Amino acid sequence: MSQNLDQPKPYDAVKGGQLSPPVGGVVLGGLAGVKHRLSSSVSEHRIAALTETLNYGDPGLKIVIKICQSETGPVQRAAGDLLRQSLSAIAREKLQAFVRASSDSEAQRNNNQKILDRLPGAVSEKNSDRQLSKAQLIFETNMQQMQPNLLLLEALVASVEREQFTSELMDLWDLLISEIQEPLKELRQAVGSAISAQLRIQWQYNQAESQANQWHQRALPGLQKEDESSVRLALVRKQIQFDKAAELKIDLDDQTVRVETLNRNLLALESKIAEANSKKEILKMQLHFAKVQEQINCTFSQMNTIFFSP
């Protein structure tokens, strides 16, 4: 979103009374103004501010989700109602635009591939470093692609209960998870590629250390025989391998941190998706049992009418 979220808009409330604002005073508007009103101790004021929050795109949506997740009472219920109304509108738009969205995703993947094809010339000549940088770029571009769907999934998890789990929201839920699967697969492949690069440089480091130790062992017989030339050669070769191992250790430590970060982010993402899937299945099961119970009650009601009516 390119516009300044903290600038007042036509629908923003302005804090003040009957007097004109003082010279140098600040108009309380924009997203900052909404946040200020949401910090009020009066529930009615907070609920009124909530209605403006979704005018500020994803940052506003995150605020409403957080209220649903962390609060109870009328403000939380109002936030849930607001989210469900917004999700229902989004559901209609996304389900109508499903084919177009699929083609847009394909275009985005093609654009990402063009960026990746140009990447090797822009990074280190080391193959392992190039492979890890490519994996990081894949991860970042796919995370950006998935972010809108992840935010909507979080909103569904935070706000939807059995009574509000309409077929429209169920279809939206299924569509969001479906659209995530392909970029999620690419994320897993990127992390696997990064781990392979890390293991390769680990092997190179181990080899350099091993060869340094071997040259050290070769120098010992020369020392015993006082063969100065063979000792000097062995020690020079040992130092070469030792320096190589030291350089590789710096690269290994750097890549280990980067790979751990990628893996940690992937696990957090998979946990969030698993939570969404789990709640969706629970809601479906609750709906199923509710329908079964309704059928049972209807059957007993009919039996009572037949057997016990006067």
PDB file of all heavy atoms in Angstrom, residues 48 70 99 103 115 137 161-162 167 191 195-196 226 235 251 259 270 308:
ATOM      1  N   ALA A  48     -16.418   1.407  18.101  1.00  0.00           N
ATOM      2  CA  ALA A  48     -16.595   2.410  17.039  1.00  0.00           C
ATOM      3  C   ALA A  48     -15.317   2.533  16.214  1.00  0.00           C
ATOM      4  O   ALA A  48     -15.365   2.658  14.981  1.00  0.00           O
ATOM      5  CB  ALA A  48     -16.971   3.751  17.649  1.00  0.00           C
ATOM      6  N   SER A  70      -6.641 -12.162  21.387  1.00  0.00           N
ATOM      7  CA  SER A  70      -6.119 -11.854  22.719  1.00  0.00           C
ATOM      8  C   SER A  70      -7.161 -11.300  23.697  1.00  0.00           C
ATOM      9  O   SER A  70      -6.851 -11.150  24.884  1.00  0.00           O
ATOM     10  CB  SER A  70      -4.969 -10.835  22.601  1.00  0.00           C
ATOM     11  OG  SER A  70      -5.414  -9.630  21.996  1.00  0.00           O
ATOM     12  N   VAL A  99     -10.033 -18.427 -11.415  1.00  0.00           N
ATOM     13  CA  VAL A  99      -9.261 -18.743 -12.624  1.00  0.00           C
ATOM     14  C   VAL A  99      -8.218 -17.661 -12.891  1.00  0.00           C
ATOM     15  O   VAL A  99      -7.055 -17.953 -13.185  1.00  0.00           O
ATOM     16  CB  VAL A  99     -10.198 -18.884 -13.846  1.00  0.00           C
ATOM     17  CG1 VAL A  99      -9.385 -19.081 -15.112  1.00  0.00           C
ATOM     18  CG2 VAL A  99     -11.162 -20.045 -13.632  1.00  0.00           C
ATOM     19  N   SER A 103      -3.961 -17.889 -12.926  1.00  0.00           N
ATOM     20  CA  SER A 103      -3.073 -17.452 -13.996  1.00  0.00           C
ATOM     21  C   SER A 103      -2.088 -16.403 -13.499  1.00  0.00           C
ATOM     22  O   SER A 103      -0.937 -16.363 -13.908  1.00  0.00           O
ATOM     23  CB  SER A 103      -3.887 -16.892 -15.165  1.00  0.00           C
ATOM     24  OG  SER A 103      -4.633 -15.764 -14.745  1.00  0.00           O
ATOM     25  N   ILE A 115      14.097 -13.984 -12.402  1.00  0.00           N
ATOM     26  CA  ILE A 115      15.008 -13.389 -11.417  1.00  0.00           C
ATOM     27  C   ILE A 115      16.068 -14.396 -11.008  1.00  0.00           C
ATOM     28  O   ILE A 115      17.254 -14.085 -10.924  1.00  0.00           O
ATOM     29  CB  ILE A 115      14.220 -12.919 -10.177  1.00  0.00           C
ATOM     30  CG1 ILE A 115      13.258 -11.793 -10.568  1.00  0.00           C
ATOM     31  CG2 ILE A 115      15.162 -12.447  -9.081  1.00  0.00           C
ATOM     32  CD1 ILE A 115      12.326 -11.370  -9.456  1.00  0.00           C
ATOM     33  N   LEU A 137      16.360 -16.560  -1.966  1.00  0.00           N
ATOM     34  CA  LEU A 137      15.517 -15.743  -2.842  1.00  0.00           C
ATOM     35  C   LEU A 137      14.198 -16.459  -3.138  1.00  0.00           C
ATOM     36  O   LEU A 137      13.134 -15.842  -3.131  1.00  0.00           O
ATOM     37  CB  LEU A 137      16.251 -15.431  -4.145  1.00  0.00           C
ATOM     38  CG  LEU A 137      15.473 -14.573  -5.145  1.00  0.00           C
ATOM     39  CD1 LEU A 137      15.097 -13.228  -4.531  1.00  0.00           C
ATOM     40  CD2 LEU A 137      16.276 -14.357  -6.418  1.00  0.00           C
ATOM     41  N   GLU A 161     -16.413 -19.520  14.246  1.00  0.00           N
ATOM     42  CA  GLU A 161     -16.870 -20.632  15.081  1.00  0.00           C
ATOM     43  C   GLU A 161     -17.934 -21.416  14.312  1.00  0.00           C
ATOM     44  O   GLU A 161     -18.323 -21.034  13.207  1.00  0.00           O
ATOM     45  CB  GLU A 161     -17.435 -20.112  16.403  1.00  0.00           C
ATOM     46  CG  GLU A 161     -16.431 -19.318  17.235  1.00  0.00           C
ATOM     47  CD  GLU A 161     -15.209 -20.132  17.638  1.00  0.00           C
ATOM     48  OE1 GLU A 161     -15.314 -21.374  17.716  1.00  0.00           O
ATOM     49  OE2 GLU A 161     -14.142 -19.531  17.869  1.00  0.00           O
ATOM     50  N   ARG A 162     -18.397 -22.508  14.911  1.00  0.00           N
ATOM     51  CA  ARG A 162     -19.307 -23.398  14.181  1.00  0.00           C
ATOM     52  C   ARG A 162     -20.541 -22.662  13.668  1.00  0.00           C
ATOM     53  O   ARG A 162     -20.974 -22.859  12.541  1.00  0.00           O
ATOM     54  CB  ARG A 162     -19.742 -24.556  15.086  1.00  0.00           C
ATOM     55  CG  ARG A 162     -20.480 -25.666  14.347  1.00  0.00           C
ATOM     56  CD  ARG A 162     -21.152 -26.612  15.302  1.00  0.00           C
ATOM     57  NE  ARG A 162     -22.364 -26.031  15.860  1.00  0.00           N
ATOM     58  CZ  ARG A 162     -23.067 -26.583  16.840  1.00  0.00           C
ATOM     59  NH1 ARG A 162     -22.655 -27.695  17.396  1.00  0.00           N
ATOM     60  NH2 ARG A 162     -24.162 -26.003  17.290  1.00  0.00           N
ATOM     61  N   SER A 167     -21.037 -22.164   4.227  1.00  0.00           N
ATOM     62  CA  SER A 167     -20.435 -22.852   3.083  1.00  0.00           C
ATOM     63  C   SER A 167     -19.515 -21.916   2.304  1.00  0.00           C
ATOM     64  O   SER A 167     -18.502 -22.338   1.743  1.00  0.00           O
ATOM     65  CB  SER A 167     -21.533 -23.396   2.161  1.00  0.00           C
ATOM     66  OG  SER A 167     -22.356 -22.341   1.690  1.00  0.00           O
ATOM     67  N   VAL A 191      14.508 -24.988   1.100  1.00  0.00           N
ATOM     68  CA  VAL A 191      15.186 -25.312   2.362  1.00  0.00           C
ATOM     69  C   VAL A 191      16.040 -26.562   2.192  1.00  0.00           C
ATOM     70  O   VAL A 191      17.169 -26.639   2.693  1.00  0.00           O
ATOM     71  CB  VAL A 191      14.160 -25.494   3.498  1.00  0.00           C
ATOM     72  CG1 VAL A 191      14.844 -26.005   4.766  1.00  0.00           C
ATOM     73  CG2 VAL A 191      13.465 -24.178   3.798  1.00  0.00           C
ATOM     74  N   ILE A 195      20.071 -26.815   2.770  1.00  0.00           N
ATOM     75  CA  ILE A 195      20.692 -27.812   3.648  1.00  0.00           C
ATOM     76  C   ILE A 195      21.762 -28.587   2.882  1.00  0.00           C
ATOM     77  O   ILE A 195      22.837 -28.885   3.418  1.00  0.00           O
ATOM     78  CB  ILE A 195      19.620 -28.756   4.223  1.00  0.00           C
ATOM     79  CG1 ILE A 195      18.717 -27.999   5.202  1.00  0.00           C
ATOM     80  CG2 ILE A 195      20.266 -29.949   4.919  1.00  0.00           C
ATOM     81  CD1 ILE A 195      17.527 -28.777   5.691  1.00  0.00           C
ATOM     82  N   SER A 196      21.496 -28.905   1.611  1.00  0.00           N
ATOM     83  CA  SER A 196      22.498 -29.601   0.782  1.00  0.00           C
ATOM     84  C   SER A 196      23.761 -28.761   0.630  1.00  0.00           C
ATOM     85  O   SER A 196      24.879 -29.277   0.710  1.00  0.00           O
ATOM     86  CB  SER A 196      21.908 -29.908  -0.599  1.00  0.00           C
ATOM     87  OG  SER A 196      20.821 -30.797  -0.501  1.00  0.00           O
ATOM     88  N   GLU A 226      65.591 -36.010  10.790  1.00  0.00           N
ATOM     89  CA  GLU A 226      66.225 -34.705  10.550  1.00  0.00           C
ATOM     90  C   GLU A 226      66.294 -34.373   9.068  1.00  0.00           C
ATOM     91  O   GLU A 226      67.261 -33.811   8.571  1.00  0.00           O
ATOM     92  CB  GLU A 226      67.626 -34.666  11.182  1.00  0.00           C
ATOM     93  CG  GLU A 226      67.596 -34.828  12.688  1.00  0.00           C
ATOM     94  CD  GLU A 226      68.972 -34.718  13.297  1.00  0.00           C
ATOM     95  OE1 GLU A 226      69.957 -34.645  12.535  1.00  0.00           O
ATOM     96  OE2 GLU A 226      69.068 -34.698  14.534  1.00  0.00           O
ATOM     97  N   LEU A 235      55.026 -29.209   6.428  1.00  0.00           N
ATOM     98  CA  LEU A 235      54.467 -28.129   7.233  1.00  0.00           C
ATOM     99  C   LEU A 235      53.822 -27.051   6.354  1.00  0.00           C
ATOM    100  O   LEU A 235      52.801 -26.453   6.732  1.00  0.00           O
ATOM    101  CB  LEU A 235      55.568 -27.504   8.099  1.00  0.00           C
ATOM    102  CG  LEU A 235      56.093 -28.403   9.227  1.00  0.00           C
ATOM    103  CD1 LEU A 235      57.200 -27.710   9.996  1.00  0.00           C
ATOM    104  CD2 LEU A 235      54.956 -28.806  10.175  1.00  0.00           C
ATOM    105  N   ASP A 251      32.742 -19.618   6.489  1.00  0.00           N
ATOM    106  CA  ASP A 251      31.605 -19.805   5.573  1.00  0.00           C
ATOM    107  C   ASP A 251      30.576 -20.760   6.168  1.00  0.00           C
ATOM    108  O   ASP A 251      29.363 -20.535   6.057  1.00  0.00           O
ATOM    109  CB  ASP A 251      32.089 -20.346   4.225  1.00  0.00           C
ATOM    110  CG  ASP A 251      32.892 -19.321   3.449  1.00  0.00           C
ATOM    111  OD1 ASP A 251      32.792 -18.127   3.781  1.00  0.00           O
ATOM    112  OD2 ASP A 251      33.643 -19.710   2.526  1.00  0.00           O
ATOM    113  N   VAL A 259      20.798 -21.217   7.198  1.00  0.00           N
ATOM    114  CA  VAL A 259      19.962 -22.410   7.003  1.00  0.00           C
ATOM    115  C   VAL A 259      19.035 -22.610   8.193  1.00  0.00           C
ATOM    116  O   VAL A 259      17.850 -22.949   8.027  1.00  0.00           O
ATOM    117  CB  VAL A 259      20.850 -23.660   6.790  1.00  0.00           C
ATOM    118  CG1 VAL A 259      20.010 -24.934   6.868  1.00  0.00           C
ATOM    119  CG2 VAL A 259      21.541 -23.591   5.431  1.00  0.00           C
ATOM    120  N   GLU A 270       4.629 -23.908   8.536  1.00  0.00           N
ATOM    121  CA  GLU A 270       3.906 -25.187   8.499  1.00  0.00           C
ATOM    122  C   GLU A 270       3.018 -25.354   9.727  1.00  0.00           C
ATOM    123  O   GLU A 270       1.922 -25.920   9.644  1.00  0.00           O
ATOM    124  CB  GLU A 270       4.905 -26.341   8.387  1.00  0.00           C
ATOM    125  CG  GLU A 270       5.573 -26.427   7.020  1.00  0.00           C
ATOM    126  CD  GLU A 270       6.564 -27.565   6.923  1.00  0.00           C
ATOM    127  OE1 GLU A 270       7.196 -27.887   7.959  1.00  0.00           O
ATOM    128  OE2 GLU A 270       6.703 -28.137   5.822  1.00  0.00           O
ATOM    129  N   PHE A 308     -47.528 -40.803  20.727  1.00  0.00           N
ATOM    130  CA  PHE A 308     -48.038 -40.229  21.990  1.00  0.00           C
ATOM    131  C   PHE A 308     -49.047 -39.104  21.756  1.00  0.00           C
ATOM    132  O   PHE A 308     -49.495 -38.460  22.687  1.00  0.00           O
ATOM    133  CB  PHE A 308     -46.883 -39.678  22.837  1.00  0.00           C
ATOM    134  CG  PHE A 308     -45.899 -40.740  23.225  1.00  0.00           C
ATOM    135  CD1 PHE A 308     -44.683 -40.860  22.584  1.00  0.00           C
ATOM    136  CD2 PHE A 308     -46.224 -41.649  24.234  1.00  0.00           C
ATOM    137  CE1 PHE A 308     -43.781 -41.836  22.937  1.00  0.00           C
ATOM    138  CE2 PHE A 308     -45.324 -42.643  24.581  1.00  0.00           C
ATOM    139  CZ  PHE A 308     -44.100 -42.747  23.934  1.00  0.00           C
TER     140      PHE A 308
END
